[in-house]
Amino acid sequence: MKVVLLSGGSGKRLWPLSNDSRSKQFLRVLQNDDMQMVSMVQRVWHQLELNGLGADSYIATGKSQIEMMQTQVGTDIPLIVEPERRDTFPAIALAATYLYSVQSVGLNEVVAILPVDPYVEDHFFEVVKQLEEAINSSGAYIGLIGVKPTYPSSKYGYIIPETANQPLSGLNMMQVLSFQEKPTEDEADLLINNGALWNCGVFAFKLDYIINHLQKNGLPIQYDELLKQYGNLPKISFDYEILEKEREIIVVPYEGYWKDLGTWNTLTEEMGSGQIGKGIISEDCTNTHLINELDIPVVVLGVSDLVVATSPDGILVTDKSASPRIKDTITFNNVPKYEERHWGWCKTLDIQQYEDGNQVVTKRLHVLTGKNLSYCLNRSCQEVWTIVKGSAEFIHNGNRMSIKAGNVMHIPAMTMHGLKAITDVEFIAVQSGPVIMENDSVELYTDWEEIEQHCVKI
């Protein structure tokens, strides 16, 4: 069985820490067994490996998240990259064509799709493994995992199975009768009494099921061809495109701990600490969490059941029960001011635009020891770098030099430049010129050995 981990969402419900380049699955707010802070994707990928599924697993993600994904789970993890976000059905269709035409996976192979944000016990993945036998022995087209509810929640969707269990091949499976999306608590209570299960977003199918669906709808089954047409695919979920139209569906129950960590109120329940970052929470605060990424302290006094989250992108103060509404409340779409990259991180400190049309952007960059920035040039803007920490090699128009804290580098527009950190390096970069566009920077080489080979004057 092949496993595809869906990790392409933007995670707007965890604003302001999550943004287009650092989505919710990358936030290091969970503690592992070694008391280290890890992200959702790091935790789930580790669980896949612990349960023997890592070698046959892939991650579907967006192109803007490649660097961060490789930083957190490794550069050898196979990625299926979406050119843009188009909901879960297009993402799964693209993954299916990748497995079929690039990896040459057989059409009878079972493929399991997992979301990136569930918080589960390790034995959940033993149930994931059962999906392969469930599909093969039942003859169903789709296999789901349903979580046995512990309370009547209005936050989750429900799978409504036929009342009688149908054991097949020693597995506890049930035919799916229908679905109910986010009922009221009273309705949920009635559903649970009738044997309904929480829908945890895990499903499996034989590869030919999706390939045949694409063919019937006139869509390419070759990965490269589907990539070219990806922007024309409808933005639709797998649930609406497939599940609600299919009758041959079975569900395998899972009885154990499960939680969707997609909102602040659920995520904070699994955080190892009530406070991350600078600040104080007074003793008379109950069930209040502070997550502060700013360099200034935040003080929370005399309030309970709150989440206070701060980042360079904004400040959120919310009652925990109201926190899921943040996704519908945020209407602005600012450029992310904090980004993690494969070489370190970058924080935008200030953006100023002037009447003459020029713009000045001030950033703080941290490059890890041994890592390097690409060798690039800026078409329209000039830069001034002030090194505030560490030492590095700097190449400017082919001239190599050693730099350290206190040095100031002037980089005119249309000049080539790159940096490699000898020790951890921090510097303040001030970019100035006409309004700076995303494509203003042109990368020539990314690997430092290539830079040395092709760009250093002899």
Side-chain angles (χ1 to χ4, degrees):
M1 183 176 69
K2 305 301 180 187
V3 175
V4 177
L5 191 64
L6 290 185
S7 183
S10 61
K12 290 182 179 179
R13 289 180 295 174
L14 292 179
W15 184 90
L17 268 64
S18 60
N19 55 43
D20 281 342
S21 65
R22 184 181 60 155
S23 298
K24 63 181 179 181
Q25 58 267 34
F26 301 116
L27 302 178
R28 291 188 177 94
V29 293
L30 303 173
Q31 282 187 349
N32 63 14
D33 293 338
D34 297 325
M35 305 302 290
Q36 297 174 325
M37 302 304 292
V38 296
S39 66
M40 297 179 199
V41 70
Q42 287 174 318
R43 175 183 163 84
V44 171
W45 189 261
H46 180 63
Q47 289 178 304
L48 285 170
E49 291 182 323
L50 280 179
N51 288 273
L53 293 168
D56 291 302
S57 293
Y58 304 77
I59 299 179
T61 191
K63 64 178 182 179
S64 64
Q65 298 175 357
I66 294 174
E67 280 192 24
M68 191 167 293
M69 187 66 72
Q70 292 177 335
T71 298
Q72 292 205 356
V73 298
T75 56
D76 57 340
I77 304 302
L79 302 180
I80 304 169
V81 180
E82 294 178 84
E84 59 181 275
R85 291 196 186 102
R86 300 205 70 80
D87 218 321
T88 53
F89 172 72
I92 291 167
L94 187 68
T97 62
Y98 180 85
L99 295 175
Y100 171 68
S101 64
V102 178
Q103 296 295 309
S104 300
V105 174
L107 289 173
N108 284 324
E109 189 81 67
V110 174
V111 179
I113 307 295
L114 275 66
V116 73
D117 56 3
Y119 192 89
V120 294
E121 298 166 318
D122 287 344
H123 77 271
F124 176 84
F125 295 92
E126 293 300 321
V127 181
V128 172
K129 293 177 185 178
Q130 294 175 18
L131 287 172
E132 181 173 24
E133 185 181 347
I135 292 289
N136 287 328
S137 62
S138 68
Y141 292 127
I142 303 286
L144 308 176
I145 292 179
V147 178
K148 290 191 175 181
T150 53
Y151 65 99
S153 172
S154 60
K155 297 181 295 185
Y156 303 135
Y158 286 76
I159 301 168
I160 304 168
E162 291 186 350
T163 53
N165 288 357
Q166 301 177 23
L168 296 171
S169 302
L171 290 176
N172 181 25
M173 293 182 290
M174 293 174 281
Q175 189 77 22
V176 173
L177 199 60
S178 61
F179 299 91
Q180 176 70 50
E181 185 65 21
K182 295 183 180 179
T184 65
E185 288 190 9
D186 289 341
E187 290 172 334
D189 192 45
L190 183 61
L191 289 171
I192 293 171
N193 289 333
N194 290 324
L197 304 166
W198 284 337
N199 187 350
C200 63
V202 175
F203 32 83
F205 46 78
K206 286 188 177 180
L207 184 57
D208 68 344
Y209 181 80
I210 298 300
I211 296 299
N212 289 338
H213 181 86
L214 294 175
Q215 287 179 313
K216 289 176 183 176
N217 287 275
L219 294 170
I221 61 173
Q222 300 294 318
Y223 175 72
D224 291 341
E225 292 301 316
L226 190 61
L227 268 181
K228 295 175 184 177
Q229 298 187 29
Y230 199 75
N232 298 323
L233 295 180
K235 290 185 177 181
I236 189 169
S237 70
F238 188 84
D239 295 51
Y240 290 136
E241 178 69 16
I242 300 294
L243 289 186
E244 292 192 357
K245 301 174 184 177
E246 182 56 64
R247 302 267 58 90
E248 297 297 324
I249 304 176
I250 55 96
V251 59
V252 179
Y254 162 73
E255 189 167 4
Y257 195 78
W258 172 85
K259 186 175 289 183
D260 179 355
L261 298 186
T263 62
W264 278 117
N265 56 337
T266 56
L267 178 60
T268 51
E269 289 173 357
E270 303 305 334
M271 286 173 50
S273 171
Q275 177 178 328
I276 297 175
K278 289 183 179 179
I280 297 172
I281 302 176
S282 65
E283 293 182 357
D284 55 346
C285 294
T286 303
N287 192 32
T288 289
H289 282 76
L290 168 63
I291 304 95
N292 181 15
E293 290 193 332
L294 301 178
D295 291 331
I296 57 176
V298 175
V299 179
V300 185
L301 300 175
V303 289
S304 299
D305 301 314
L306 288 189
V307 174
V308 180
T310 75
S311 84
D313 288 338
I315 297 172
L316 172 69
V317 180
T318 177
D319 182 271
K320 287 190 174 180
S321 63
S323 64
R325 289 164 32 202
I326 187 66
K327 183 178 181 180
D328 301 319
T329 305
I330 299 298
T331 56
F332 40 84
N333 190 26
N334 295 337
V335 175
K337 290 185 172 60
Y338 179 83
E339 299 178 82
E340 288 186 21
R341 307 292 293 274
H342 69 278
W343 42 259
W345 52 261
C346 173
K347 184 184 296 184
T348 300
L349 303 177
D350 186 61
I351 300 176
Q352 295 292 331
Q353 193 162 343
Y354 297 94
E355 293 180 357
D356 62 2
N358 282 334
Q359 187 180 62
V360 177
V361 179
T362 305
K363 297 182 178 182
R364 178 181 173 189
L365 293 89
H366 183 106
V367 185
L368 300 169
T369 300
K371 301 291 185 178
N372 67 274
L373 306 180
S374 61
Y375 197 62
C376 63
L377 60 84
N378 300 322
R379 290 191 177 100
S380 61
C381 71
Q382 61 177 328
E383 294 191 47
V384 177
W385 292 1
T386 302
I387 313 300
V388 296
K389 173 186 173 181
S391 60
E393 286 186 76
F394 180 68
I395 301 177
H396 186 210
N397 276 348
N399 297 306
R400 185 205 298 262
M401 62 195 80
S402 296
I403 58 176
K404 61 182 179 179
N407 291 149
V408 178
M409 322 306 297
H410 294 266
I411 307 170
M414 298 301 293
T415 63
M416 298 172 289
H417 56 281
L419 175 148
K420 180 180 180 180
I422 304 302
T423 64
D424 279 16
V425 171
E426 284 190 20
F427 62 95
I428 305 298
V430 180
Q431 301 173 332
S432 59
V435 174
I436 299 164
M437 308 299 290
E438 286 186 10
N439 60 355
D440 189 67
S441 179
V442 179
E443 287 192 356
L444 304 175
Y445 297 100
T446 56
D447 184 81
W448 193 254
E449 291 182 358
E450 285 187 311
I451 296 172
E452 290 181 315
Q453 180 180 351
H454 296 286
C455 305
V456 177
K457 293 179 181 179
I458 299 177

